[in-house]
Amino acid sequence: MAEEQQQADASPGPAPRKPAKGPAPEAGNKARGADGDDRPRGDEGAADGGDPADGEAAEKESERERAAGRFREHTRDPLAEAEGEDGPTDLAAASRARRSTRMLFDTGRDLNSFDRSYIQSAHIGDIHLRMDARQPNAGMRSGPVPDEELTRLRRLHVEPKGYVQLRNALQARRLLVLGAAPGTGRTSTALSLLDEVTAQAERDQGTETGAGSRVRRVDPDVRGLTGSLEERRGTGYLLELSLAGPGALPPDEMDLDGLAAALDERASFAVIVVTVGAAANPLMAGRYGMPCPPVPTQELLTTRLRERLEDRLATARAGTPDGGPQVAELLSRAEELADGKAVKDAVGLKELRPAEAELVASLLAGHLLGDVSYEELLSGCRSLAADQAREWFAGVDRALAALPSGTEPSAGRPGTAALFHPVAFRIALAVLGGASRSAVATAAHLLTWELSVQSDPDNTPARPLFCDDPDSDLALSRAEATDGTVEVAGTEVGAQLIWYQGSALPAAVLTEIWDRHFPVRAPVVRWLRLLADDPRPQVWIRAAVAAGELCVRDFDHGHAELIRPLAEAATPRRRIFAATTLDQTAGRATHRKAVCKLVDDWSRYGTKPLRWTAAMALGYGNAAATMDDTLDALARIGVRDDGDQLAAASFNVVRLLALPDGARVLRRMSDWTHHPREVYQDLGLVTTVRLAVTSVDEVLNDEPGSPLADRGDWPLPLALAATRPELVRPIADLLWTALNTPRSQEVAMDALEALLRSAVRRGGGQWTQPGLAALLPALMAEEHDRRRLDWLLRRMMNDPENPLPDAQARSLWWLAVPPRERTGEEERDG
């Protein structure tokens, strides 16, 4: 007893080691004390038997209380400083959000795979494909649609769902406003509709003219077209209306009624193609508006493949009788290749649009016919997402570069917020994909503000409050919403989650804005700093991972603008944001050496905030060359300034235990607890207690196939004991040492009580009992250890607020006592 009391003095010796197992304890040891005493007996740290008024005993008791208070402070969560002294923190939610977010950037393509080698024009054999056809035109020239274009359209057009309803509406009203996102096949559908209805009208009239002369593209001027319709009856007109420019207004209902009446007089038809969005809502809500569904992806790709193969083989083997079967065979091989993981990962898009299907079909056909290598096939497929991102952001604010005619310079640039919202939404979705729809929308509005201010800093941007269209945001950004859950204050609640329709789009968007649009970096950096302050883990942790991906593109800029300022911030969340960004950057082999050097410097020479951030970065396991280097750096941080940052260092040592090299971490913890210096002993003891109170979800990394993954709410030591038997003995030894060292005994006993209470859930279902069954026999191998357990179980049973049921207490006792050491009397009592 005296030896243990000395540990509380200023110059204690090393913490006690657990002795080797001795003879079996005496029979008859039960979970019930014979004398009803509710204190631990023997050398469990009971109070001295002397006079309570004795000054020396009182001083020692006071010192123990102060030591226990220090240990409680050291075992607080790193976020507790920002979230309250005793309240729960969101470390587990942040860890889960990080794991789900890293999946968006871990599909076999990192940001470096986008080498900007866009395929603008592909010439494969006798097939010539122009990719720039998919970009929206500023204005189509008026004139007839060529006969060959309509002929090919009749042969290859894939009807979207609801096509018949669109055709019936056009025949009945003469005018149709067709709304869809660019690139979804809306123009092809409009031409196909006009071709069909005008051909039918021509047959009804008994006349025969060239198809190209009866289907025409015209300038998107509704009033002008109304007064200049051709005299020839049965003509179809295609108008592609752009409402993207500042101040652009859609035609009103009276203009459309006038055009419809003029068309009816000449038995003609018109389709106005418009991009869905807030500006087009009045048109889509009117009597002429109808949405245009996208073309089915698989059917579209099969149709394009068949065309490519038939055209190529017809040219190469004209008149060959086996041409048909050969096409079928090649088509089967092409579809099998397209369904392969390599090609699907390279494409990275859930739904292909017509121009994309054209390219993929050409690449697959060219590869099967020997014109395109496998590497060229994959490279061409990877260009799709990058090309989509380039189209989304190219020249978005070109119209704002010059003030409208007659506008005073002091009047600002009207419509900046409305213009920037779609691109802000796409960037927010790339950063926060998988978060709730409301979180993405809120972040998008914040970024819209930052972009607007950057574009026109002298004026406060105005944004209409009731003009958003969530469905249009999804359509214009190739996104989808699904029902799911988010965590709020540790509880899962239902929410609508939002994602890109393709794993390649988030990285493509981040690469596009960071590499090709340098002026956008400043508002994006300010926006990411705002997200770092968001209290929701689904927001700030996702933003940190995305920031790491941006730093891969330009580490010098990312370090200066994001990592270093946030690493020195006053709030813990911002520093964890910086540490997560560093870890994401270190995940790339090209940057890991630089990150390791930076973190090592911070751990040695950094200010207090930088050392704290370095500790959080080290906890991920990627910020040092080896595990020994990681543990050395954490010990260096933990023992400096008399253990001022023991809490941060110990927490991140525990995080390393979720990695495969947990045995090495436990050995180092044991070395610390038996170190001659007290500060190292405290590091080992605090880490041990923190291990006991940490859940798997708080520390679980993204190791694939981890056996801990399905035990997220388990205490970490019990999950390790249940899944890794070789760790049971070192974990038990560390806990025994903490329980037998006076300054850590109180908090260790509380931690042990929490472990015991996790055996079964409140409803009676099994929880961590397998882990306790593995750990308790090793921890309670000696008589005095079992007396401590006996005392603790009785204290739990007598707890007035949360009494432990007697049957559960007995069950826990028998878990600690191996069957071979039980007596007949004990088994009868049980």
Side-chain angles (χ1 to χ4, degrees), residues 414-422 448 452 461-464:
T416 55
L419 184 66
F420 287 131
H421 179 68
T448 299
S452 301
R463 173 143 184 86

Side-chain angles (χ1 to χ4, degrees), residues 660-707:
D661 205 8
R664 184 180 297 273
V665 179
L666 292 173
R667 286 196 297 271
R668 183 65 68 89
M669 290 169 59
S670 178
D671 292 342
W672 289 335
T673 59
H674 301 98
H675 195 279
R677 291 182 57 192
E678 181 184 5
V679 68
Y680 278 96
Q681 297 171 30
D682 285 349
L683 175 59
L685 293 170
V686 168
T687 306
T688 300
V689 174
R690 184 177 288 280
L691 164 63
V693 299
T694 299
S695 69
V696 171
D697 265 342
E698 291 180 87
V699 299
L700 185 62
N701 213 311
D702 51 357
E703 292 292 326
S706 172

Side-chain angles (χ1 to χ4, degrees), residues 512-562:
E512 175 68 21
I513 64 169
W514 209 247
D515 285 0
R516 293 177 61 89
H517 305 284
F518 190 85
V520 176
R521 290 190 180 187
V524 168
V525 165
R526 293 196 299 269
W527 174 67
L528 288 173
R529 291 180 182 178
L530 290 175
L531 297 187
D533 295 325
D534 194 292
R536 295 167 294 180
Q538 62 163 322
V539 173
W540 69 266
I541 200 69
R542 282 180 164 87
V545 172
E549 294 294 320
L550 294 177
C551 289
V552 172
R553 304 301 302 171
D554 187 346
F555 188 72
D556 175 59
H557 186 88
H559 172 260
E561 298 295 328
L562 277 171

Side-chain angles (χ1 to χ4, degrees), residues 243 248 250 274-285 418 421-422 463-464 466-473 476:
L243 301 174
V274 64
T275 299
V276 294
N281 281 346
L283 289 175
M284 297 304 298
H421 179 68
R463 173 143 184 86
F466 300 99
C467 291
D468 280 359
D469 185 348
D471 293 333
S472 297
D473 286 340
L476 293 174

Side-chain angles (χ1 to χ4, degrees), residues 81-364:
E81 178 181 337
E83 299 186 12
E85 184 171 346
D86 297 316
T89 62
D90 289 326
L91 286 173
S95 180
R96 284 188 289 269
R98 175 178 174 271
R99 293 197 295 275
S100 64
T101 305
R102 284 171 66 90
M103 294 171 60
L104 298 177
F105 301 102
D106 190 24
T107 59
R109 64 160 83 230
D110 60 33
L111 286 161
N112 292 311
S113 68
F114 295 100
D115 57 2
R116 323 313 307 170
S117 57
Y118 299 108
I119 295 184
Q120 295 294 330
S121 177
H123 197 180
I124 303 169
D126 59 352
I127 302 168
H128 190 71
L129 176 67
R130 289 290 302 175
M131 280 302 291
D132 54 2
R134 71 193 296 258
Q135 298 184 28
N137 294 281
M140 302 297 297
R141 294 196 306 270
S142 300
V145 178
D147 286 339
E148 58 270 19
E149 182 175 343
L150 291 176
T151 300
R152 181 174 184 268
L153 189 64
R154 291 187 208 106
R155 182 163 65 99
L156 297 173
H157 182 253
V158 178
E159 296 181 357
K161 184 179 180 181
Y163 180 83
V164 174
Q165 288 87 340
L166 295 175
R167 184 181 60 202
N168 293 340
L170 179 58
Q171 288 175 328
R173 302 170 189 166
R174 299 289 178 176
L175 175 63
L176 181 65
V177 177
L178 199 60
T184 56
R186 57 186 185 167
T187 301
S188 296
T189 298
L191 287 173
S192 179
L193 289 168
L194 290 171
D195 184 41
E196 286 195 36
V197 297
T198 56
Q200 182 63 44
E202 193 174 72
R203 287 191 294 271
D204 293 343
Q205 297 170 14
T207 60
E208 284 289 337
T209 60
S213 61
R214 59 179 166 78
V215 180
R216 304 178 64 84
R217 289 187 175 96
V218 296
D219 288 328
D221 181 359
V222 173
R223 291 183 180 179
L225 178 61
T226 302
S228 60
L229 291 176
E230 292 189 2
E231 291 298 327
R232 191 177 72 83
R233 300 173 68 81
T235 302
Y237 301 94
L238 173 65
L239 300 82
E240 297 185 81
L241 186 62
S242 174
L243 301 174
L249 297 175
D252 57 34
E253 197 76 4
M254 288 190 298
D255 294 331
L256 297 179
D257 288 340
L259 177 58
L263 290 167
D264 189 55
E265 289 179 4
R266 292 170 175 78
S268 295
F269 306 88
V271 177
I272 301 175
V273 174
V274 64
T275 299
V276 294
N281 281 346
L283 289 175
M284 297 304 298
R287 68 175 63 92
Y288 303 103
M290 292 188 74
C292 181
V295 177
T297 296
Q298 189 57 47
E299 187 176 351
L300 179 67
L301 180 59
T302 301
T303 302
R304 296 294 190 262
L305 266 172
R306 184 179 295 279
E307 178 208 15
R308 297 295 188 223
L309 293 170
E310 287 177 347
D311 288 350
R312 177 63 183 274
L313 291 177
T315 302
R317 301 184 177 184
T320 302
D322 64 348
Q326 188 170 5
V327 170
E329 180 185 350
L330 287 175
L331 183 61
S332 177
R333 290 170 55 193
E335 291 177 345
E336 182 180 353
L337 184 62
D339 288 336
K341 185 178 185 303
V343 172
K344 279 187 172 294
D345 286 347
V347 172
L349 300 172
K350 186 175 180 180
E351 303 286 344
L352 290 177
R353 291 181 169 178
E356 295 163 350
E358 294 268 2
L359 176 60
V360 174
S362 297
L363 291 168
L364 290 169

Side-chain angles (χ1 to χ4, degrees), residues 606-724:
T607 61
K608 181 178 177 180
L610 288 180
R611 296 198 307 275
W612 197 97
T613 304
M616 293 303 301
L618 288 162
Y620 287 112
N622 294 319
T626 66
M627 180 61 75
D628 284 335
D629 291 339
T630 301
L631 294 169
D632 287 342
L634 285 170
R636 191 160 50 241
I637 295 169
V639 303
R640 184 168 170 175
D641 297 333
D642 295 325
D644 186 55
Q645 294 189 342
L646 268 176
S650 63
F651 172 73
N652 288 286
V653 173
V654 171
R655 291 172 68 196
L656 297 173
L657 286 168
L659 300 177
D661 205 8
R664 184 180 297 273
V665 179
L666 292 173
R667 286 196 297 271
R668 183 65 68 89
M669 290 169 59
S670 178
D671 292 342
W672 289 335
T673 59
H674 301 98
H675 195 279
R677 291 182 57 192
E678 181 184 5
V679 68
Y680 278 96
Q681 297 171 30
D682 285 349
L683 175 59
L685 293 170
V686 168
T687 306
T688 300
V689 174
R690 184 177 288 280
L691 164 63
V693 299
T694 299
S695 69
V696 171
D697 265 342
E698 291 180 87
V699 299
L700 185 62
N701 213 311
D702 51 357
E703 292 292 326
S706 172
L708 301 177
D710 60 349
R711 294 176 171 85
D713 62 345
W714 281 41
L716 182 58
L718 301 184
L720 291 173
T723 58
R724 300 185 62 183

